[in-house]
Amino acid sequence: MTKQIIVGGVPIGGGAPVSIQSMTNTRTDDVAATVAQIRRLAAAGCDIVRVAVPDMAAARALGSIKEQISLPLVADIHFDYKLALEAIAAGVDKVRINPGNIGGEDRVKAVAHACKANNIPIRIGVNGGSLEKPLLSKYGGVTPEAMVESAFGHIELLHKFDFDDICVSLKSSSVVTTMSAYRLMAQQSNYPLHVGVTETGLTRMGTIKSAIGIGGLLAMGIGDTIRVTLTADPLEEIYAAKDILKAVGLRKEGPELISCPTCGRTRIDLIRLAGEVSERLSQIRKPITVAVMGCIVNGPGEASAADVGIAGGDGVGILFRKGKIIEKVPQEQLVDRLFTLIDTL
Ligand code: SF4
């Protein structure tokens, strides 16, 4: 089991539920826009939010942002240790910074001491795109081994100053490299792992890469907190993250829709029907599995694992529960009857 760290009250690692993170894409020094986006992310199910801190104006805005939000706030900092100190003073709950990149041990010491004094963890965020040159030459490019060695280099620097309140990420834009790097890290340490694939692209491909990378690792028992990265509204990252957790069985909250792919037996507009059911399910919080199947002959059997379901036929459909047919229903009433049944569960 991994070691546990606490980020603004949210535990990461040590058997805690896998938390969902996202990152704002507003200008951090635009406090109103950033707070508004963080509130939308919180309402969508985000557990921890990160903001970029590219300059002092952003760092100085953190205190005011923090006052107006309920989510734990993480400051994302590259190279400039003064920004880290300012962010810590502003009350952030975690800092993402790579100690090897901030220009000297005195600076690492200052950041480590400030984090320790304020009881906040550091995430070491190794990124395949910005690996140290000596490691690139040693390994001949971005390899999982190079990424893991980079992580241990940063960890060692923090250890020099007696700091071990650490979590680690090892992201690359290659799904396979990313997965191997996390597996290697999990074999060699028990630091909690922030899992994600980076620069994945637009929503469709980005979701696929994240589902494979993050979902695959989670299915192997690796990963304590996750971030889906999409070139899209960050809300999409939360929806995708929630679906990944559901798909690997790590979140039971809310319903899961299963529907058949349709085939030559289908005599109903199943795509529209499944869309309507999906839309109405978004208002429901019960942890149930709901099936929408394309034919009454095979549908109930194929979906026998579902709690409830409907199967469409030629004008008449059926309502079923755990694979057993409850009643025949005229097609146009199918969805309403399904939701009446769901209400009674
Ligand atoms: S449930 Fe019926 S319609 Fe759907 S794929 Fe199976 S056999 Fe085809």
Side-chain angles (χ1 to χ4, degrees):
M1 189 177 295
T2 53
K3 165 190 162 106
Q4 188 169 84
I5 63 165
I6 306 287
V7 180
V10 174
I12 295 178
V18 175
S19 47
I20 294 175
Q21 309 207 17
S22 183
M23 188 166 179
T24 54
N25 59 7
T26 51
R27 278 186 66 122
T28 305
D29 59 2
D30 183 345
V31 173
T34 303
V35 166
Q37 191 172 62
I38 291 173
R39 287 184 178 158
R40 286 170 61 223
L41 287 168
C46 182
D47 298 308
I48 297 168
V49 70
R50 178 160 50 113
V51 297
V53 184
D55 51 32
M56 251 327 154
R60 292 205 184 96
L62 295 171
S64 170
I65 292 169
K66 176 83 187 135
E67 272 171 19
Q68 298 176 62
I69 62 170
S70 53
L71 290 184
L73 183 65
V74 183
D76 190 272
I77 290 155
H78 293 264
F79 312 120
D80 189 342
Y81 83 110
K82 285 192 193 134
L83 296 178
L85 295 180
E86 184 74 24
I88 296 160
V92 297
D93 300 293
K94 182 170 78 173
V95 178
R96 182 267 164 132
I97 193 165
N98 289 349
N101 303 347
I102 62 178
E105 293 199 355
D106 283 356
R107 296 174 177 188
V108 178
K109 183 178 176 184
V111 172
H113 282 183
C115 282
K116 198 162 209 174
N118 290 279
N119 211 10
I120 64 174
I122 291 178
R123 168 159 70 93
I124 291 168
V126 173
N127 189 312
S130 56
L131 270 188
E132 298 91 325
K133 288 216 172 68
L135 287 176
L136 289 174
S137 334
K138 177 174 172 187
Y139 289 98
V142 179
T143 65
E145 291 77 13
M147 293 172 71
V148 167
E149 188 168 328
S150 172
F152 278 115
H154 295 298
I155 291 169
E156 248 169 60
L157 273 173
L158 291 176
H159 280 178
K160 275 193 182 165
F161 303 105
D162 198 25
F163 190 89
D164 198 43
D165 195 5
I166 296 169
C167 80
V168 175
S169 64
L170 304 135
K171 302 183 189 181
S172 116
S173 53
S174 151
V175 174
V176 173
T177 304
T178 302
M179 291 181 79
S180 302
Y182 279 105
R183 288 173 66 190
L184 205 57
M185 192 72 197
Q187 284 162 11
Q188 295 183 15
S189 84
N190 71 343
Y191 288 108
L193 296 175
H194 165 123
V195 171
V197 182
T198 193
E199 293 124 24
T200 59
L202 300 172
T203 303
R204 183 189 156 100
M205 196 56 186
T207 304
I208 290 173
K209 287 184 187 172
S210 298
I212 296 169
I214 299 172
L217 286 164
L218 289 173
M220 290 185 260
I222 296 171
D224 301 288
T225 182
I226 64 172
R227 158 126 195 252
V228 173
T229 307
L230 298 175
T231 308
D233 184 327
L235 250 67
E236 296 292 336
E237 299 183 349
I238 304 300
Y239 301 143
K242 285 164 82 172
D243 286 344
I244 290 171
L245 290 179
K246 261 192 213 170
V248 291
L250 288 175
R251 280 221 182 169
K252 297 276 183 249
E253 69 198 42
E256 181 176 1
L257 174 68
I258 60 175
S259 54
C260 83
T262 74
C263 71
R265 293 182 193 84
T266 317
R267 297 282 177 273
I268 189 173
D269 182 356
L270 193 78
I271 298 172
R272 187 192 57 73
L273 198 69
E276 194 183 336
V277 171
S278 171
E279 180 71 37
R280 286 177 66 170
L281 281 177
S282 65
Q283 307 303 318
I284 287 180
R285 291 275 153 266
K286 292 178 186 175
I288 49 171
T289 305
V290 179
V292 178
M293 306 299 281
C295 73
I296 57 178
V297 181
N298 294 340
E302 286 182 18
S304 58
D307 295 299
V308 290
I310 51 176
D314 235 342
V316 181
I318 52 170
L319 185 65
F320 57 90
R321 187 164 180 189
K322 300 264 184 210
K324 294 225 166 57
I325 297 171
I326 296 180
E327 60 174 344
K328 280 193 170 171
V329 184
Q331 201 145 291
E332 61 281 1
Q333 294 173 23
L334 262 180
V335 176
D336 284 340
R337 292 292 262 278
L338 172 68
F339 280 87
T340 311
L341 178 59
I342 289 173
D343 280 345
T344 66
L345 296 177

